[in-house]
């Protein structure tokens, strides 16, 4: 039952937002009493925390699976983007922004985990790209990896990128192209152009 509550809550929170979904909404959607939810979660904050960690673990596992395929590093970047956007329901409820605004402690905890995960993943991608001649061998890998993470976090800040002016899909596509054009070698740029032509 606990897992079922987490799954349903994840779906509702990602589609409608952490703030707007109530414990009553979740109970009604599941056809159970609110009391049943409280048997597993002391309050909504505990449920939000469990849900946020569930989403993080799910995405981390998926990213590991994509990295294990040893794809071309440029393709891998786009593949991970597609996977993450799909699992965050294209971020229509701006989950990260809502967490930061309404559940700051949970946001800080999850952001720390995201940073460690992404730093490792991006560093490996950059190293492989350099080794394959797709990224310039002069790039400072640790610097670029940290800058990449920081940029990703900024995209989700609605004070910088208001959702009424910028869709998350457009932001992500623009950011990935910006990132890759900054680090690609001539060979890598040819590959990037080819991928963009095929509408990745």
């Amino acid at each position: 039952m606990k897992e079922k509550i987490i799954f349903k809550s994840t779906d509702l929170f990602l589609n409608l937002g952490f703030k707007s979904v109530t414990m009553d909404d979740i109970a009604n959607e599941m056809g159970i009493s609110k009391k049943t939810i409280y048997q597993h979660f002391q309050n909504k904050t505990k449920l939000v925390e469990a849900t946020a960690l569930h989403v993080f673990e799910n995405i981390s596992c998926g990213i590991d699976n994509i990295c294990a395929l040893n794809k071309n590093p440029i393709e891998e970047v786009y593949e991970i983007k597609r996977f993450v956007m799909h699992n965050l329901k294209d971020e229509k409820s701006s989950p990260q922004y809502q967490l930061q605004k309404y559940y700051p402690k949970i946001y800080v905890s999850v952001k720390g985990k995201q940073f460690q995960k992404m730093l490792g993943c991006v560093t490996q991608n950059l190293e492989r790209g350099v080794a394959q001649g797709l990224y310039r061998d002069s790039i400072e890998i640790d610097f670029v990896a940290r800058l990449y993470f920081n940029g990703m976090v900024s995209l989700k800040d609605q004070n910088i990128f208001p959702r009424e002016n910028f869709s998350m899909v457009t932001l992500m596509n623009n950011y990935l192209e910006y990132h890759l054009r900054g680090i690609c070698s001539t060979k890598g740029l040819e590959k990037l152009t080819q991928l963009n032509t095929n509408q990745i």
Side-chain angles (χ1 to χ4, degrees):
M1 178 52 75
K2 187 173 184 177
E3 281 189 6
K4 285 180 181 173
I5 294 168
I6 290 175
F7 283 132
K8 178 49 76 177
S9 301
T10 299
D11 188 51
L12 291 171
F13 286 146
L14 290 180
N15 277 305
L16 303 170
F18 288 107
K19 175 71 171 167
S20 58
V21 175
T22 65
M23 297 296 250
D24 281 315
D25 293 332
I26 297 164
N28 291 337
E29 277 285 325
M30 295 185 70
I32 60 175
S33 70
K34 202 159 59 165
K35 186 180 169 189
T36 305
I37 299 177
Y38 284 118
Q39 284 171 351
H40 298 280
F41 300 97
Q42 190 180 344
N43 50 45
K44 186 181 172 186
T45 301
K46 291 289 183 191
L47 179 56
V48 167
E49 184 176 30
T51 304
L53 289 173
H54 166 72
V55 171
F56 169 77
E57 295 296 343
N58 191 32
I59 288 175
S60 293
C61 186
I63 289 173
D64 286 343
N65 290 339
I66 292 168
C67 292
L69 297 173
N70 263 328
K71 288 188 169 215
N72 169 304
I74 297 173
E75 289 179 49
E76 182 180 271
V77 168
Y78 282 103
E79 191 65 35
I80 289 172
K81 186 252 331 185
R82 271 197 298 265
F83 173 78
V84 171
M85 291 294 284
H86 173 73
N87 276 271
L88 292 179
K89 315 284 186 191
D90 284 342
E91 306 213 22
K92 56 184 149 208
S93 74
S94 310
Q96 199 154 302
Y97 182 72
Q98 285 213 354
L99 265 189
Q100 186 176 9
K101 193 170 181 183
Y102 302 113
Y103 300 94
K105 285 183 181 173
I106 298 171
Y107 169 78
V108 169
S109 169
V110 171
K111 186 183 171 188
K113 291 175 187 295
Q114 284 176 335
F115 175 66
Q116 291 306 322
K117 182 70 197 172
M118 196 182 271
L119 194 65
C121 173
V122 175
T123 298
Q124 284 179 354
N125 180 278
L126 293 170
E127 287 169 350
R128 285 177 52 238
V130 169
Q132 292 177 29
L134 294 167
Y135 301 156
R136 291 181 291 108
D137 58 12
S138 59
I139 62 172
E140 182 60 54
I141 287 177
D142 190 46
F143 169 75
V144 173
R146 290 166 188 271
L147 195 65
Y148 183 76
F149 175 80
N150 204 45
M152 278 290 183
V153 171
S154 297
L155 292 185
K156 295 166 187 185
D157 186 337
Q158 292 191 31
N159 296 316
I160 301 173
F161 296 105
R163 210 45 88 245
E164 57 269 22
N165 299 337
F166 300 93
S167 82
M168 186 47 75
V169 174
T170 304
L171 282 175
M172 289 289 281
N173 287 335
N174 288 344
Y175 182 64
L176 289 191
E177 183 154 356
Y178 174 81
H179 164 70
L180 289 166
R181 286 193 177 279
I183 63 173
C184 275
S185 63
T186 305
K187 179 182 170 185
L189 286 173
E190 286 171 8
K191 183 67 182 171
L192 180 62
T193 303
Q194 182 190 336
L195 291 174
N196 282 337
T197 304
N198 295 335
Q199 295 186 330
I200 267 205

